[in-house]
Amino acid sequence: MGKCVCIIAEFRHGAFRRVTYEVASEGKRIADALGIGLWAVAAGSGVAEKAAELGRYGVEKVLVIDDPALENYLAEAYVPAVADAVAKCDPAAVILSASVDGKDLGARLAARLKAGLAQDCTQIVCENGKIKAKRPIFAGKCFGWCEWAEGALPIVSCRPNVMDCLAPMEDKKAEVEKVQVSVADLRSKVKSIDLDTSGKVELTEAEIIVSGGRGMKGPENYALLEDMAKVLGAAVGASRAAVDSGWRPHADQVGQTGKVVNPNLYIAVGISGAIQHLAGMGSSKFIVAINKDAEAPIFSKADYGVVEDLFTFVPALTEEVRKLKSSCS
Amino acid sequence: MNVAVLLKQTPDTESVIRIASDGKSVATDDLKWIVNPYDEFAVEAALRLKEKHGGTVTIISWGPQRVVESVRTALAMGADSAVLIDDPALEASDGLGVATALAAAVKQINPDLVLCGSRAVDYDQAQRGPMVAEFLGWPHLALAVSIDSDGQTVTIERAIEGGKVVLESSLPALVTFGGSHAVWNPRYASLPGIMKAKKKPLAVKKLADLGVDASEAGAAKVRMTSLEMPLQRAAGKVIDGGLDMAAKAVELVRALHEEAKVI
Ligand SMILES: Cc1cc2nc3c(=O)[nH]c(=O)nc-3n(C[C@H](O)[C@H](O)[C@H](O)COP(=O)(O)OP(=O)(O)OC[C@H]3O[C@@H](n4cnc5c(N)ncnc54)[C@H](O)[C@@H]3O)c2cc1C
Ligand SMILES: Nc1ncnc2c1ncn2[C@@H]1O[C@H](COP(=O)(O)O)[C@@H](O)[C@H]1O
């Protein structure tokens, strides 16, 4: 068995992403169960200064790859460097985030290290010194437990927003060791990057999602949902029907061929609840359906259903939420 | 420009998933099969590149005989030829083993560009594309929502958490496809296309034909040992009780705040 559990931290724009703390917390639980330490590999531009803070989540040692060329994720630049650092850790298991980049990195890393990869896991357990991981398949219509062959290195990517974060130990610092790499002679590059600075909440990481379907009737009516989302601090999603109609950008599509989301609260507005849509949001902790058709299948999945015309109900609901928020603050 | 597309056949997204009697696989008896939607996007993109630059489009697929139907669908859309890896040795394999075989098939064709889905909508493994690129020693660009090429380089646009990026690579390279039907709007197979597809070359290969060691590629590092269904959601509550519209809004906010504690 390897000598540590190794997590791969995700560092973007000067900070670790929240999911990295979830990954570290999960890594700590697994490392404790195996009776070994928790190490991390952190790559990025400027990451050296921040790496010690991973100690707050139980990381003992961080191998840091700090290079301006790693400002943005590019597989060709990241993979060789991260793979070398991971190999140095001699891990019993590697855990990273199932973010867009994490899944990409995990896949190439598995090929390079000849490891067994389980993507997008929602639970990791340790049984008799061996790891098992649970992951959704068919966009959540079913779940599968993965086990690794004797001697195979497990690489597990964790779905964001699912694993619990440990309470940070504020005074703990991780030991930091710099790893030298040369990121050169790349055939691929980031040509331009366009960051959305509107503060829009990313669907897959949102705690509340308000989603609209064909019942919204047209793109202009999404203002109703945007208003409610603003009051709730929510992200706005859409069904495929709304995206296919050109009302909403494709990145907003929730479902089997869109994003699989698991917020605390999912409010489906004017969405019938087709099986492909349910697959993408069925694991939300609470589901609210607003639909004027009492027979719509979405009601069979909803914790709370309201049979009303959305055009009158949504503004009324937004108003009530606003009242609640102002009385709470 | 010669393009290869990695294509997987998956159950129709309408499918209700049931666990088979072995407890570790999905019952396939009453499933309908389709081309994995993301691979359909890749086929569409390949055909558009061919329309612009000439060259050929080759479909590569691993799977049992039923996969031929989906491969023919891609040929009917306009692809030129196909390679079907039909070798039961891969059945006990994992993502890595399948990627090894796919990479070997790509090498034999030697294309300028490989296109594939970002994930297959069955097991959502989201790994074969980058793995194949790694085995080929090529760069890959992930999750394209647009693609363009000048014959020397390939450029894609992709969404990232909190924005979008434009990525470029020199050829040869591999590109995985994201986006949605609205983005790619894949063409349907025309009737003449379907007729022509029947005569297009489809080579069936065993792992040995690809120079792949079956015992190595077939040995899974990770495998699914049991399946379970998601927890059934308790029957929900329709907020009604003779309330008028405004009162329902009040009651819903109360329930979300006090019972569910999510707002
Ligand atoms: C390969 C494939 C992949 C797919 N992938 C996805 C996917 O990823 N995501 C996805 O969402 N779908 C997907 N679909 C499509 C899916 O099958 C449905 O067609 C789609 O989800 C329907 O969207 P909808 O609920 O918005 O529209 P509809 O089914 O038309 O429902 C609209 C609802 O709005 C209600 N409504 C209308 N007016 C009002 C009003 N004034 N007030 C209140 N309610 C109102 C209606 O009662 C109805 O229930 C996929 C389909 C295929 C074939
Ligand atoms: N059996 C297969 N045959 C051909 N291509 C495949 C196969 N499995 C996966 N792929 C390709 O790899 C992509 C990602 O699949 P996966 O890693 O299974 O989610 C798919 O969209 C296909 O393009």
Side-chain angles (χ1 to χ4, degrees):
Chain A
M1 188 169 79
K3 67 173 186 238
C4 64
V5 168
C6 173
I7 64 153
I8 299 174
E10 200 165 313
F11 186 79
R12 295 291 181 275
H13 318 300
F16 289 110
R17 301 193 58 213
R18 184 193 142 83
V19 59
T20 289
Y21 302 133
E22 296 168 8
V23 166
S25 302
E26 195 62 20
K28 176 68 177 153
R29 278 188 282 266
I30 299 301
D32 285 350
L34 292 173
I36 52 182
L38 179 65
W39 287 26
V41 169
S45 174
V47 64
E49 292 158 40
K50 300 282 173 74
E53 75 174 56
L54 291 174
R56 297 190 300 152
Y57 293 90
V59 174
E60 290 157 23
K61 182 166 176 174
V62 190
L63 300 192
V64 163
I65 308 155
D66 195 336
D67 193 301
L70 300 175
E71 171 69 28
N72 297 302
Y73 175 78
L74 189 67
E76 202 188 359
Y78 266 70
V79 172
V82 171
D84 284 354
V86 167
K88 266 195 176 171
C89 296
D90 182 22
V94 177
I95 307 180
L96 72 169
S97 81
S99 62
V100 175
D101 293 340
K103 285 196 276 194
D104 194 73
L105 176 66
R108 268 197 101 127
L109 215 53
R112 207 173 174 97
L113 300 172
K114 302 277 185 291
L117 172 65
Q119 297 275 47
D120 215 16
C121 296
T122 52
Q123 196 181 344
I124 311 176
V125 297
C126 225
E127 275 174 15
N128 307 322
K130 292 202 70 171
I131 285 179
K132 277 175 74 172
K134 182 176 158 182
R135 55 185 302 274
I137 58 176
F138 292 88
K141 288 178 188 171
C142 190
F143 285 84
W145 280 100
C146 297
E147 291 185 55
W148 280 263
E150 203 57 51
L153 171 67
I155 301 186
V156 182
S157 68
C158 299
R159 172 174 287 199
N161 250 357
V162 176
M163 316 284 191
D164 291 330
C165 260
L166 296 173
M169 301 171 277
E170 291 305 341
D171 52 343
K172 279 270 174 65
K173 284 202 170 11
E175 180 193 339
V176 176
E177 180 183 323
K178 283 198 189 183
V179 181
Q180 289 307 326
V181 288
S182 64
V183 186
D185 297 331
L186 300 183
R187 287 217 280 122
S188 56
K189 65 173 186 230
V190 177
K191 269 191 89 173
S192 65
I193 185 154
D194 183 4
L195 284 180
D196 185 350
T197 47
S198 64
K200 217 173 100 182
V201 187
E202 168 60 31
L203 271 182
T204 50
E205 294 173 20
E207 292 189 359
I208 302 181
I209 295 175
V210 183
S211 225
R214 203 192 316 265
M216 296 305 295
K217 302 273 188 316
E220 64 285 359
N221 298 324
Y222 276 80
L224 294 174
L225 302 189
E226 306 272 0
D227 278 352
M228 179 153 70
K230 203 180 276 165
V231 183
L232 285 168
V236 177
S239 71
R240 176 175 159 192
V243 172
D244 279 0
S245 305
W247 302 345
R248 301 299 289 174
H250 71 87
D252 289 2
Q253 183 173 320
V254 171
Q256 200 166 356
T257 52
K259 293 198 169 132
V260 178
V261 298
N262 58 314
N264 289 334
L265 174 62
Y266 188 89
I267 306 181
V269 183
I271 292 176
S272 62
I275 189 166
Q276 296 97 342
H277 191 80
L278 296 177
M281 41 64 81
S283 67
S284 305
K285 287 178 199 88
F286 278 89
I287 297 173
V288 170
I290 300 167
N291 198 303
K292 67 177 182 190
D293 173 10
E295 303 300 317
I298 188 79
F299 285 118
S300 70
K301 294 282 171 185
D303 299 283
Y304 299 109
V306 177
V307 183
E308 281 291 346
D309 186 302
L310 72 92
F311 293 101
T312 48
F313 186 73
V314 170
L317 182 61
T318 304
E319 199 39 49
E320 281 310 314
V321 176
R322 196 173 279 127
K323 279 190 210 158
L324 172 78
K325 295 280 170 183
S326 55
S327 71
C328 288
S329 59
Chain B
M1 188 159 72
N2 296 328
V3 181
V5 180
L6 310 181
L7 181 148
K8 186 174 197 195
Q9 187 184 53
T10 57
D12 191 325
T13 54
E14 288 285 341
S15 309
V16 174
I17 297 303
R18 286 181 302 110
I19 300 171
S21 55
D22 67 0
K24 57 182 181 184
S25 66
V26 163
T28 53
D29 23 311
D30 50 3
L31 291 181
K32 261 181 41 198
W33 299 89
I34 59 166
V35 174
N36 178 38
Y38 293 98
D39 303 353
E40 206 180 347
F41 306 161
V43 172
E44 175 62 34
L47 296 173
R48 288 185 203 169
L49 288 170
K50 179 183 158 173
E51 282 153 12
K52 194 165 159 195
H53 296 285
T56 60
V57 175
T58 309
I59 306 297
I60 301 175
S61 188
W62 165 66
Q65 271 300 317
R66 64 170 152 72
V67 169
V68 170
E69 191 192 330
S70 294
V71 170
R72 292 271 179 220
T73 302
L75 294 173
M77 287 169 74
D80 299 287
S81 62
V83 175
L84 175 64
I85 309 168
D86 183 5
D87 197 320
L90 282 178
E91 259 150 45
S93 184
D94 58 2
L96 214 55
V98 173
T100 308
L102 293 172
V106 169
K107 273 191 199 140
Q108 286 192 342
I109 295 164
N110 196 25
D112 304 296
L113 192 57
V114 174
L115 309 184
C116 67
S118 53
R119 63 180 166 99
V121 298
D122 49 9
Y123 291 93
D124 292 321
Q125 301 204 54
Q127 53 185 260
R128 262 82 163 209
M131 284 176 169
V132 169
E134 181 67 31
F135 289 141
L136 293 168
W138 295 1
H140 83 272
L141 309 178
L143 291 156
V145 295
S146 79
I147 185 167
D148 201 8
S149 174
D150 59 8
Q152 303 298 314
T153 59
V154 58
T155 310
I156 70 152
E157 210 178 61
R158 91 168 232 215
I160 53 169
E161 281 124 338
K164 65 178 184 202
V165 286
V166 177
L167 301 167
E168 185 188 274
S169 173
S170 62
L171 298 177
L174 181 143
V175 175
T176 79
F177 282 70
S180 66
H181 290 84
V183 171
W184 293 106
N185 200 12
R187 68 193 69 189
Y188 290 104
S190 65
L191 200 57
I194 293 170
M195 298 311 291
K196 271 196 220 151
K198 291 183 179 151
K199 300 201 196 78
K200 289 182 177 173
L202 190 158
V204 180
K205 303 219 166 160
K206 297 278 170 213
L207 290 178
D209 302 326
L210 300 171
V212 172
D213 181 341
S215 61
E216 204 174 303
K221 302 233 182 313
V222 56
R223 61 161 54 103
M224 246 180 269
T225 50
S226 66
L227 299 188
E228 62 186 51
M229 296 307 285
L231 288 177
Q232 279 299 323
R233 302 188 77 93
K237 159 167 156 194
V238 172
I239 295 180
D240 190 8
L243 299 174
D244 67 7
M245 199 270 301
K248 286 181 191 173
V250 173
E251 171 55 14
L252 177 58
V253 168
R254 187 203 63 76
L256 291 175
H257 183 60
E258 293 176 10
E259 292 170 18
K261 299 190 170 48
V262 285
I263 64 172

